[in-house]
PDB file of all heavy atoms in Angstrom:
ATOM      1  N   LEU A 134     -32.677 -27.180   0.219  1.00 90.00           N
ATOM      2  CA  LEU A 134     -32.196 -26.943   1.577  1.00 90.00           C
ATOM      3  C   LEU A 134     -30.892 -27.695   1.828  1.00 90.00           C
ATOM      4  O   LEU A 134     -29.966 -27.176   2.464  1.00 90.00           O
ATOM      5  CB  LEU A 134     -33.260 -27.356   2.596  1.00 90.00           C
ATOM      6  CG  LEU A 134     -32.980 -26.996   4.059  1.00 90.00           C
ATOM      7  CD1 LEU A 134     -32.727 -25.495   4.218  1.00 90.00           C
ATOM      8  CD2 LEU A 134     -34.154 -27.425   4.941  1.00 90.00           C
ATOM      9  N   PHE A 135     -30.814 -28.926   1.312  1.00 91.00           N
ATOM     10  CA  PHE A 135     -29.550 -29.669   1.397  1.00 91.00           C
ATOM     11  C   PHE A 135     -28.448 -28.913   0.660  1.00 91.00           C
ATOM     12  O   PHE A 135     -27.313 -28.821   1.136  1.00 91.00           O
ATOM     13  CB  PHE A 135     -29.701 -31.066   0.793  1.00 91.00           C
ATOM     14  CG  PHE A 135     -30.374 -32.061   1.699  1.00 91.00           C
ATOM     15  CD1 PHE A 135     -31.457 -32.808   1.258  1.00 91.00           C
ATOM     16  CD2 PHE A 135     -29.926 -32.271   2.996  1.00 91.00           C
ATOM     17  CE1 PHE A 135     -32.079 -33.734   2.086  1.00 91.00           C
ATOM     18  CE2 PHE A 135     -30.527 -33.193   3.834  1.00 91.00           C
ATOM     19  CZ  PHE A 135     -31.612 -33.922   3.384  1.00 91.00           C
ATOM     20  N   PHE A 136     -28.769 -28.385  -0.530  1.00 89.00           N
ATOM     21  CA  PHE A 136     -27.796 -27.606  -1.295  1.00 89.00           C
ATOM     22  C   PHE A 136     -27.347 -26.368  -0.514  1.00 89.00           C
ATOM     23  O   PHE A 136     -26.167 -26.005  -0.535  1.00 89.00           O
ATOM     24  CB  PHE A 136     -28.394 -27.165  -2.637  1.00 89.00           C
ATOM     25  CG  PHE A 136     -28.501 -28.250  -3.661  1.00 89.00           C
ATOM     26  CD1 PHE A 136     -29.282 -28.086  -4.790  1.00 89.00           C
ATOM     27  CD2 PHE A 136     -27.826 -29.447  -3.504  1.00 89.00           C
ATOM     28  CE1 PHE A 136     -29.395 -29.079  -5.748  1.00 89.00           C
ATOM     29  CE2 PHE A 136     -27.926 -30.459  -4.454  1.00 89.00           C
ATOM     30  CZ  PHE A 136     -28.716 -30.269  -5.583  1.00 89.00           C
ATOM     31  N   LEU A 137     -28.284 -25.712   0.155  1.00 91.00           N
ATOM     32  CA  LEU A 137     -27.981 -24.485   0.907  1.00 91.00           C
ATOM     33  C   LEU A 137     -26.985 -24.762   2.035  1.00 91.00           C
ATOM     34  O   LEU A 137     -25.954 -24.081   2.155  1.00 91.00           O
ATOM     35  CB  LEU A 137     -29.270 -23.887   1.469  1.00 91.00           C
ATOM     36  CG  LEU A 137     -29.116 -22.701   2.434  1.00 91.00           C
ATOM     37  CD1 LEU A 137     -28.413 -21.535   1.748  1.00 91.00           C
ATOM     38  CD2 LEU A 137     -30.477 -22.277   2.983  1.00 91.00           C
ATOM     39  N   ILE A 138     -27.274 -25.759   2.872  1.00 93.00           N
ATOM     40  CA  ILE A 138     -26.377 -26.064   3.994  1.00 93.00           C
ATOM     41  C   ILE A 138     -25.049 -26.621   3.482  1.00 93.00           C
ATOM     42  O   ILE A 138     -23.984 -26.351   4.056  1.00 93.00           O
ATOM     43  CB  ILE A 138     -27.042 -27.056   4.970  1.00 93.00           C
ATOM     44  CG1 ILE A 138     -28.429 -26.557   5.391  1.00 93.00           C
ATOM     45  CG2 ILE A 138     -26.176 -27.264   6.203  1.00 93.00           C
ATOM     46  CD1 ILE A 138     -28.416 -25.190   6.042  1.00 93.00           C
ATOM     47  N   SER A 139     -25.111 -27.371   2.381  1.00 93.00           N
ATOM     48  CA  SER A 139     -23.879 -27.881   1.782  1.00 93.00           C
ATOM     49  C   SER A 139     -23.004 -26.738   1.275  1.00 93.00           C
ATOM     50  O   SER A 139     -21.770 -26.794   1.385  1.00 93.00           O
ATOM     51  CB  SER A 139     -24.217 -28.828   0.625  1.00 93.00           C
ATOM     52  OG  SER A 139     -23.065 -29.329   0.011  1.00 93.00           O
ATOM     53  N   SER A 140     -23.624 -25.684   0.749  1.00 93.00           N
ATOM     54  CA  SER A 140     -22.863 -24.520   0.281  1.00 93.00           C
ATOM     55  C   SER A 140     -22.184 -23.809   1.453  1.00 93.00           C
ATOM     56  O   SER A 140     -21.049 -23.323   1.328  1.00 93.00           O
ATOM     57  CB  SER A 140     -23.782 -23.544  -0.458  1.00 93.00           C
ATOM     58  OG  SER A 140     -24.290 -24.118  -1.640  1.00 93.00           O
ATOM     59  N   ILE A 141     -22.875 -23.736   2.582  1.00 95.00           N
ATOM     60  CA  ILE A 141     -22.268 -23.144   3.789  1.00 95.00           C
ATOM     61  C   ILE A 141     -21.061 -23.977   4.218  1.00 95.00           C
ATOM     62  O   ILE A 141     -20.007 -23.437   4.582  1.00 95.00           O
ATOM     63  CB  ILE A 141     -23.299 -23.049   4.926  1.00 95.00           C
ATOM     64  CG1 ILE A 141     -24.435 -22.092   4.537  1.00 95.00           C
ATOM     65  CG2 ILE A 141     -22.648 -22.591   6.231  1.00 95.00           C
ATOM     66  CD1 ILE A 141     -25.592 -22.065   5.519  1.00 95.00           C
ATOM     67  N   ALA A 142     -21.200 -25.316   4.172  1.00 95.00           N
ATOM     68  CA  ALA A 142     -20.081 -26.204   4.531  1.00 95.00           C
ATOM     69  C   ALA A 142     -18.929 -26.056   3.536  1.00 95.00           C
ATOM     70  O   ALA A 142     -17.754 -26.058   3.928  1.00 95.00           O
ATOM     71  CB  ALA A 142     -20.563 -27.650   4.585  1.00 95.00           C
ATOM     72  N   ASN A 143     -19.251 -25.927   2.242  1.00 94.00           N
ATOM     73  CA  ASN A 143     -18.209 -25.726   1.227  1.00 94.00           C
ATOM     74  C   ASN A 143     -17.448 -24.430   1.468  1.00 94.00           C
ATOM     75  O   ASN A 143     -16.219 -24.384   1.346  1.00 94.00           O
ATOM     76  CB  ASN A 143     -18.835 -25.695  -0.170  1.00 94.00           C
ATOM     77  CG  ASN A 143     -19.202 -27.071  -0.682  1.00 94.00           C
ATOM     78  OD1 ASN A 143     -18.552 -28.056  -0.362  1.00 94.00           O
ATOM     79  ND2 ASN A 143     -20.261 -27.154  -1.462  1.00 94.00           N
ATOM     80  N   LEU A 144     -18.175 -23.372   1.801  1.00 95.00           N
ATOM     81  CA  LEU A 144     -17.527 -22.085   2.085  1.00 95.00           C
ATOM     82  C   LEU A 144     -16.613 -22.202   3.303  1.00 95.00           C
ATOM     83  O   LEU A 144     -15.493 -21.677   3.306  1.00 95.00           O
ATOM     84  CB  LEU A 144     -18.592 -21.008   2.318  1.00 95.00           C
ATOM     85  CG  LEU A 144     -18.082 -19.598   2.633  1.00 95.00           C
ATOM     86  CD1 LEU A 144     -17.239 -19.068   1.487  1.00 95.00           C
ATOM     87  CD2 LEU A 144     -19.247 -18.660   2.928  1.00 95.00           C
ATOM     88  N   SER A 145     -17.082 -22.910   4.326  1.00 94.00           N
ATOM     89  CA  SER A 145     -16.268 -23.122   5.525  1.00 94.00           C
ATOM     90  C   SER A 145     -15.001 -23.909   5.204  1.00 94.00           C
ATOM     91  O   SER A 145     -13.915 -23.608   5.713  1.00 94.00           O
ATOM     92  CB  SER A 145     -17.089 -23.857   6.591  1.00 94.00           C
ATOM     93  OG  SER A 145     -16.310 -24.177   7.716  1.00 94.00           O
ATOM     94  N   ALA A 146     -15.121 -24.926   4.328  1.00 93.00           N
ATOM     95  CA  ALA A 146     -13.955 -25.726   3.946  1.00 93.00           C
ATOM     96  C   ALA A 146     -12.931 -24.879   3.203  1.00 93.00           C
ATOM     97  O   ALA A 146     -11.716 -25.006   3.436  1.00 93.00           O
ATOM     98  CB  ALA A 146     -14.401 -26.899   3.077  1.00 93.00           C
ATOM     99  N   ILE A 147     -13.399 -24.010   2.322  1.00 94.00           N
ATOM    100  CA  ILE A 147     -12.482 -23.157   1.562  1.00 94.00           C
ATOM    101  C   ILE A 147     -11.789 -22.151   2.479  1.00 94.00           C
ATOM    102  O   ILE A 147     -10.574 -21.944   2.404  1.00 94.00           O
ATOM    103  CB  ILE A 147     -13.242 -22.438   0.429  1.00 94.00           C
ATOM    104  CG1 ILE A 147     -13.611 -23.451  -0.666  1.00 94.00           C
ATOM    105  CG2 ILE A 147     -12.407 -21.306  -0.170  1.00 94.00           C
ATOM    106  CD1 ILE A 147     -14.482 -22.894  -1.766  1.00 94.00           C
ATOM    107  N   LEU A 148     -12.560 -21.518   3.359  1.00 92.00           N
ATOM    108  CA  LEU A 148     -11.976 -20.512   4.253  1.00 92.00           C
ATOM    109  C   LEU A 148     -10.986 -21.127   5.238  1.00 92.00           C
ATOM    110  O   LEU A 148      -9.929 -20.552   5.519  1.00 92.00           O
ATOM    111  CB  LEU A 148     -13.090 -19.785   5.009  1.00 92.00           C
ATOM    112  CG  LEU A 148     -14.020 -18.894   4.164  1.00 92.00           C
ATOM    113  CD1 LEU A 148     -15.120 -18.303   5.028  1.00 92.00           C
ATOM    114  CD2 LEU A 148     -13.235 -17.793   3.476  1.00 92.00           C
ATOM    115  N   SER A 149     -11.320 -22.307   5.770  1.00 90.00           N
ATOM    116  CA  SER A 149     -10.442 -22.936   6.764  1.00 90.00           C
ATOM    117  C   SER A 149      -9.245 -23.626   6.128  1.00 90.00           C
ATOM    118  O   SER A 149      -8.180 -23.741   6.747  1.00 90.00           O
ATOM    119  CB  SER A 149     -11.229 -23.944   7.607  1.00 90.00           C
ATOM    120  OG  SER A 149     -11.782 -24.973   6.782  1.00 90.00           O
ATOM    121  N   GLY A 150      -9.409 -24.102   4.889  1.00 87.00           N
ATOM    122  CA  GLY A 150      -8.332 -24.846   4.257  1.00 87.00           C
ATOM    123  C   GLY A 150      -7.448 -24.035   3.333  1.00 87.00           C
ATOM    124  O   GLY A 150      -6.216 -24.069   3.435  1.00 87.00           O
ATOM    125  N   LEU A 151      -8.059 -23.264   2.434  1.00 87.00           N
ATOM    126  CA  LEU A 151      -7.269 -22.569   1.427  1.00 87.00           C
ATOM    127  C   LEU A 151      -6.580 -21.312   1.947  1.00 87.00           C
ATOM    128  O   LEU A 151      -5.528 -20.923   1.433  1.00 87.00           O
ATOM    129  CB  LEU A 151      -8.161 -22.195   0.234  1.00 87.00           C
ATOM    130  CG  LEU A 151      -8.254 -23.239  -0.876  1.00 87.00           C
ATOM    131  CD1 LEU A 151      -9.107 -22.730  -2.016  1.00 87.00           C
ATOM    132  CD2 LEU A 151      -6.870 -23.613  -1.391  1.00 87.00           C
ATOM    133  N   THR A 152      -7.177 -20.671   2.941  1.00 83.00           N
ATOM    134  CA  THR A 152      -6.545 -19.467   3.494  1.00 83.00           C
ATOM    135  C   THR A 152      -5.140 -19.786   3.999  1.00 83.00           C
ATOM    136  O   THR A 152      -4.171 -19.066   3.711  1.00 83.00           O
ATOM    137  CB  THR A 152      -7.383 -18.893   4.652  1.00 83.00           C
ATOM    138  OG1 THR A 152      -8.715 -18.652   4.190  1.00 83.00           O
ATOM    139  CG2 THR A 152      -6.793 -17.594   5.154  1.00 83.00           C
ATOM    140  N   THR A 153      -5.016 -20.885   4.724  1.00 79.00           N
ATOM    141  CA  THR A 153      -3.704 -21.260   5.269  1.00 79.00           C
ATOM    142  C   THR A 153      -2.754 -21.736   4.177  1.00 79.00           C
ATOM    143  O   THR A 153      -1.545 -21.519   4.261  1.00 79.00           O
ATOM    144  CB  THR A 153      -3.865 -22.363   6.331  1.00 79.00           C
ATOM    145  OG1 THR A 153      -4.538 -23.487   5.748  1.00 79.00           O
ATOM    146  CG2 THR A 153      -4.669 -21.858   7.512  1.00 79.00           C
ATOM    147  N   ARG A 154      -3.277 -22.385   3.140  1.00 76.00           N
ATOM    148  CA  ARG A 154      -2.412 -22.856   2.060  1.00 76.00           C
ATOM    149  C   ARG A 154      -1.846 -21.680   1.267  1.00 76.00           C
ATOM    150  O   ARG A 154      -0.702 -21.711   0.815  1.00 76.00           O
ATOM    151  CB  ARG A 154      -3.170 -23.804   1.134  1.00 76.00           C
ATOM    152  CG  ARG A 154      -3.552 -25.108   1.809  1.00 76.00           C
ATOM    153  CD  ARG A 154      -3.943 -26.168   0.796  1.00 76.00           C
ATOM    154  NE  ARG A 154      -2.793 -26.651   0.056  1.00 76.00           N
ATOM    155  CZ  ARG A 154      -1.890 -27.499   0.536  1.00 76.00           C
ATOM    156  NH1 ARG A 154      -1.995 -27.942   1.773  1.00 76.00           N
ATOM    157  NH2 ARG A 154      -0.892 -27.900  -0.215  1.00 76.00           N
ATOM    158  N   MET A 155      -2.662 -20.647   1.069  1.00 77.00           N
ATOM    159  CA  MET A 155      -2.160 -19.449   0.391  1.00 77.00           C
ATOM    160  C   MET A 155      -1.057 -18.793   1.214  1.00 77.00           C
ATOM    161  O   MET A 155      -0.032 -18.385   0.694  1.00 77.00           O
ATOM    162  CB  MET A 155      -3.302 -18.462   0.153  1.00 77.00           C
ATOM    163  CG  MET A 155      -4.284 -18.896  -0.920  1.00 77.00           C
ATOM    164  SD  MET A 155      -5.471 -17.595  -1.339  1.00 77.00           S
ATOM    165  CE  MET A 155      -6.299 -17.386   0.232  1.00 77.00           C
ATOM    166  N   LEU A 156      -1.284 -18.712   2.519  1.00 73.00           N
ATOM    167  CA  LEU A 156      -0.286 -18.092   3.396  1.00 73.00           C
ATOM    168  C   LEU A 156       0.995 -18.921   3.466  1.00 73.00           C
ATOM    169  O   LEU A 156       2.100 -18.371   3.582  1.00 73.00           O
ATOM    170  CB  LEU A 156      -0.865 -17.914   4.804  1.00 73.00           C
ATOM    171  CG  LEU A 156      -2.000 -16.892   4.942  1.00 73.00           C
ATOM    172  CD1 LEU A 156      -2.573 -16.927   6.344  1.00 73.00           C
ATOM    173  CD2 LEU A 156      -1.513 -15.492   4.595  1.00 73.00           C
ATOM    174  N   SER A 157       0.837 -20.250   3.389  1.00 67.00           N
ATOM    175  CA  SER A 157       2.028 -21.113   3.463  1.00 67.00           C
ATOM    176  C   SER A 157       2.952 -20.891   2.270  1.00 67.00           C
ATOM    177  O   SER A 157       4.163 -21.101   2.363  1.00 67.00           O
ATOM    178  CB  SER A 157       1.618 -22.586   3.543  1.00 67.00           C
ATOM    179  OG  SER A 157       1.005 -23.003   2.329  1.00 67.00           O
ATOM    180  N   GLY A 158       2.381 -20.472   1.143  1.00 62.00           N
ATOM    181  CA  GLY A 158       3.210 -20.181  -0.023  1.00 62.00           C
ATOM    182  C   GLY A 158       4.109 -18.979   0.181  1.00 62.00           C
ATOM    183  O   GLY A 158       5.105 -18.800  -0.524  1.00 62.00           O
ATOM    184  N   TRP A 159       3.749 -18.146   1.168  1.00 64.00           N
ATOM    185  CA  TRP A 159       4.564 -16.962   1.477  1.00 64.00           C
ATOM    186  C   TRP A 159       5.182 -17.068   2.884  1.00 64.00           C
ATOM    187  O   TRP A 159       5.606 -16.072   3.461  1.00 64.00           O
ATOM    188  CB  TRP A 159       3.700 -15.706   1.400  1.00 64.00           C
ATOM    189  CG  TRP A 159       2.975 -15.597   0.094  1.00 64.00           C
ATOM    190  CD1 TRP A 159       1.707 -16.007  -0.178  1.00 64.00           C
ATOM    191  CD2 TRP A 159       3.491 -15.090  -1.139  1.00 64.00           C
ATOM    192  NE1 TRP A 159       1.380 -15.777  -1.489  1.00 64.00           N
ATOM    193  CE2 TRP A 159       2.453 -15.210  -2.108  1.00 64.00           C
ATOM    194  CE3 TRP A 159       4.717 -14.532  -1.519  1.00 64.00           C
ATOM    195  CZ2 TRP A 159       2.617 -14.803  -3.425  1.00 64.00           C
ATOM    196  CZ3 TRP A 159       4.871 -14.125  -2.845  1.00 64.00           C
ATOM    197  CH2 TRP A 159       3.837 -14.262  -3.772  1.00 64.00           C
TER     198      TRP A 159
END
């Protein structure tokens, strides 16, 4: 269960952080 909620948090970190970094390259 800890792994499950941690995976949701990891997905949120990637979507909120990497999406903007990819766009900043363009």
